[in-house]
Amino acid sequence: MKSSSSSVRDQYERWVYPEPIQDLEAHFKDGTSFVFGEPSLSFHAIWPDKKRFVPSIYVPGCGSSLAPMLAYLNPESRVVGTDISVSSLRHSRKLKTQHNLDNLELKHLDLHESESLGETFDLILVTGVLHHLPDPVGGAKALKAVLAPDGVMSVMLYGANLRAGIYMLQNAFKTLGLKQSPETVRRVRGVLEQLHPQHAVQRYVSSAPELQHDAALVDTFLHPQDRAYTVDEIYEFAEQSGFEFQEWIERGHYNPKNYLQPSHPLYEDIIRLPLRERASVVDNILQMVGSHRFYLRKSENRKTYLVDFSSDEFINWTPHLHPKILWGNDNGQPVLRRNDIDLHPNPLVPALLKYADGTRTIGECFEALKAEGAQVTDNAIDAVRTVFEEMYHFGHLDIELTPHA
């Protein structure tokens, strides 16, 4: 087996990470837990240009639980999980047996050898893996070889800006010659407890409750090999790997309207930028994304998946509301909440979205609203376009581009 790195493999044999899930049913029972970028939650974010179908799924570097989670959430899909860690695969096999996941196949395999599987996959979900390789671009190219022609790769790479303080401490610990051991873990915890409250790592630490687990602490501060990416570097990574950047998995994280008030001195300048540059500026100003999650397509694919609201075809698209949206009110005014962020939309937003049931097109939602007796002005269609475009870029809905029969 060609190892991605013997030191990385050895770490995950001894320090199984992420923390293994013991029971999938209990984990997903209350509806708050989910997996980013997987079909049961986000089919039309992954494939805006496809009718629903049952995708085959490949999870390289699946760790202790990720492939079983995908198989559990997508019971009709065939799921293949691979990893270089025998310890992680042992727990994955336990979950496979425990939950009768007959649709799951697990293999001890380096992702560079993915072509030896002898098949291609509709979806490759690779999270927390490529940034630990000596050559992340080379790893992505190895996965591209087993991606189906219209397949999508769902990727997570570390975000450089929020993790800046991590690399300061990593470098300090390497200079001191600290090795992975229970004693070193104890000492690192002591360092974190005595850090200056304004140290650059504090914002990350406060947002990462998983650091209570020793394996997470080792993976964060004592990892022998990782790198992180800015937004601009994510786009460069995609291009160097032979992919086309499709979309952020959580578009709202890169939308200035989620976080900046119109009174912000740069607000108007930022929202006028193209989406790529806008995301870069938001990430640099806010410094809040520790993990970039995004979809990639083969660069040779036709761009049939692009969601461009400047097209007059938007009226024939079908909106699918994000299942985690919560509605409330504030002194009688509607409030939309997701990811602990409140949005106070104008009344047209809930009036239209209540008809977005996954079967109606945008035009049919508009017609339903008119049938309810809503007054229609000359620019009504532009207002409708704006509502759905704004909600799309907040990440509150996905779009199905293919017309219904």
Side-chain angles (χ1 to χ4, degrees), residues 182-346:
E183 171 61 17
T184 297
V185 168
R186 184 189 66 79
R187 296 176 73 188
V188 169
R189 289 199 185 281
V191 170
L192 294 178
E193 290 170 2
Q194 297 188 40
L195 278 179
H196 191 283
Q198 293 183 347
H199 189 283
V201 82
Q202 295 288 20
R203 189 173 182 186
Y204 179 89
V205 169
S206 66
S207 67
E210 68 168 6
L211 291 177
Q212 65 184 297
H213 302 296
D214 288 352
L217 194 87
V218 168
D219 198 72
T220 302
F221 295 107
L222 299 171
H223 204 290
Q225 183 171 276
D226 77 56
R227 65 151 298 179
Y229 295 76
T230 65
V231 163
D232 293 327
E233 289 168 342
I234 291 292
Y235 281 95
E236 292 168 5
F237 167 84
E239 293 161 4
Q240 292 166 4
S241 304
F243 286 97
E244 188 81 17
F245 183 91
Q246 176 173 311
E247 187 57 273
W248 300 108
I249 290 179
E250 183 46 82
R251 295 182 293 277
H253 285 170
Y254 306 89
N255 187 341
K257 295 182 180 181
N258 246 340
Y259 307 105
L260 304 180
Q261 296 297 319
S263 58
H264 188 281
L266 298 178
Y267 182 86
E268 292 297 333
D269 301 273
I270 296 172
I271 62 173
R272 282 196 294 266
L273 288 172
L275 292 176
R276 175 171 174 169
E277 288 77 9
R278 183 191 303 177
S280 177
V281 171
V282 168
D283 188 43
N284 284 321
I285 287 180
L286 297 179
Q287 194 188 5
M288 60 175 290
V289 178
S291 299
H292 296 297
R293 302 175 189 271
F294 50 95
Y295 299 119
L296 299 178
R297 295 269 187 132
K298 291 184 174 182
S299 57
E300 56 267 30
N301 285 9
R302 292 182 300 117
K303 309 301 185 289
T304 58
Y305 50 83
L306 296 179
V307 178
D308 180 2
F309 276 88
S310 67
S311 168
D312 289 337
E313 284 298 309
F314 87 93
I315 205 75
N316 299 315
W317 299 343
T318 303
H320 295 262
L321 295 182
H322 195 289
K324 303 297 183 183
I325 282 178
L326 297 174
W327 285 99
N329 70 79
D330 180 9
N331 294 321
Q333 298 300 311
V335 177
L336 187 157
R337 167 169 286 188
R338 193 171 66 82
N339 292 341
D340 297 323
I341 298 174
D342 286 353
L343 175 67
H344 294 75
N346 70 60

Side-chain angles (χ1 to χ4, degrees), residues 74-280:
N74 299 272
E76 295 183 1
S77 289
R78 179 169 180 270
V79 179
V80 176
T82 62
D83 206 284
I84 60 173
S85 167
V86 173
S87 298
S88 294
L89 287 170
R90 185 180 302 120
H91 188 78
S92 284
R93 290 192 174 100
K94 172 180 174 290
L95 291 175
K96 171 182 167 72
T97 301
Q98 179 180 342
H99 295 281
N100 300 311
L101 300 175
D102 296 332
N103 61 328
L104 173 62
E105 182 178 348
L106 296 163
K107 291 179 179 289
H108 185 219
L109 190 73
D110 187 289
L111 67 78
H112 293 93
E113 299 178 348
S114 295
E115 279 193 277
S116 69
L117 295 171
E119 59 183 307
T120 60
F121 299 88
D122 300 308
L123 176 66
I124 298 176
L125 194 147
V126 55
T127 178
V129 179
L130 295 173
H131 49 229
H132 290 312
L133 299 180
D135 177 12
V137 167
K141 288 180 177 178
L143 295 178
K144 183 184 177 185
V146 295
L147 186 64
D150 288 326
V152 175
M153 194 153 82
S154 176
V155 185
M156 185 276 273
L157 294 175
Y158 285 152
N161 289 341
L162 186 59
R163 290 176 60 89
I166 290 174
Y167 297 110
M168 296 176 188
L169 294 182
Q170 277 191 11
N171 289 335
F173 299 150
K174 287 175 182 176
T175 300
L176 291 166
L178 299 187
K179 306 298 183 184
Q180 295 177 355
S181 70
E183 171 61 17
T184 297
V185 168
R186 184 189 66 79
R187 296 176 73 188
V188 169
R189 289 199 185 281
V191 170
L192 294 178
E193 290 170 2
Q194 297 188 40
L195 278 179
H196 191 283
Q198 293 183 347
H199 189 283
V201 82
Q202 295 288 20
R203 189 173 182 186
Y204 179 89
V205 169
S206 66
S207 67
E210 68 168 6
L211 291 177
Q212 65 184 297
H213 302 296
D214 288 352
L217 194 87
V218 168
D219 198 72
T220 302
F221 295 107
L222 299 171
H223 204 290
Q225 183 171 276
D226 77 56
R227 65 151 298 179
Y229 295 76
T230 65
V231 163
D232 293 327
E233 289 168 342
I234 291 292
Y235 281 95
E236 292 168 5
F237 167 84
E239 293 161 4
Q240 292 166 4
S241 304
F243 286 97
E244 188 81 17
F245 183 91
Q246 176 173 311
E247 187 57 273
W248 300 108
I249 290 179
E250 183 46 82
R251 295 182 293 277
H253 285 170
Y254 306 89
N255 187 341
K257 295 182 180 181
N258 246 340
Y259 307 105
L260 304 180
Q261 296 297 319
S263 58
H264 188 281
L266 298 178
Y267 182 86
E268 292 297 333
D269 301 273
I270 296 172
I271 62 173
R272 282 196 294 266
L273 288 172
L275 292 176
R276 175 171 174 169
E277 288 77 9
R278 183 191 303 177
S280 177

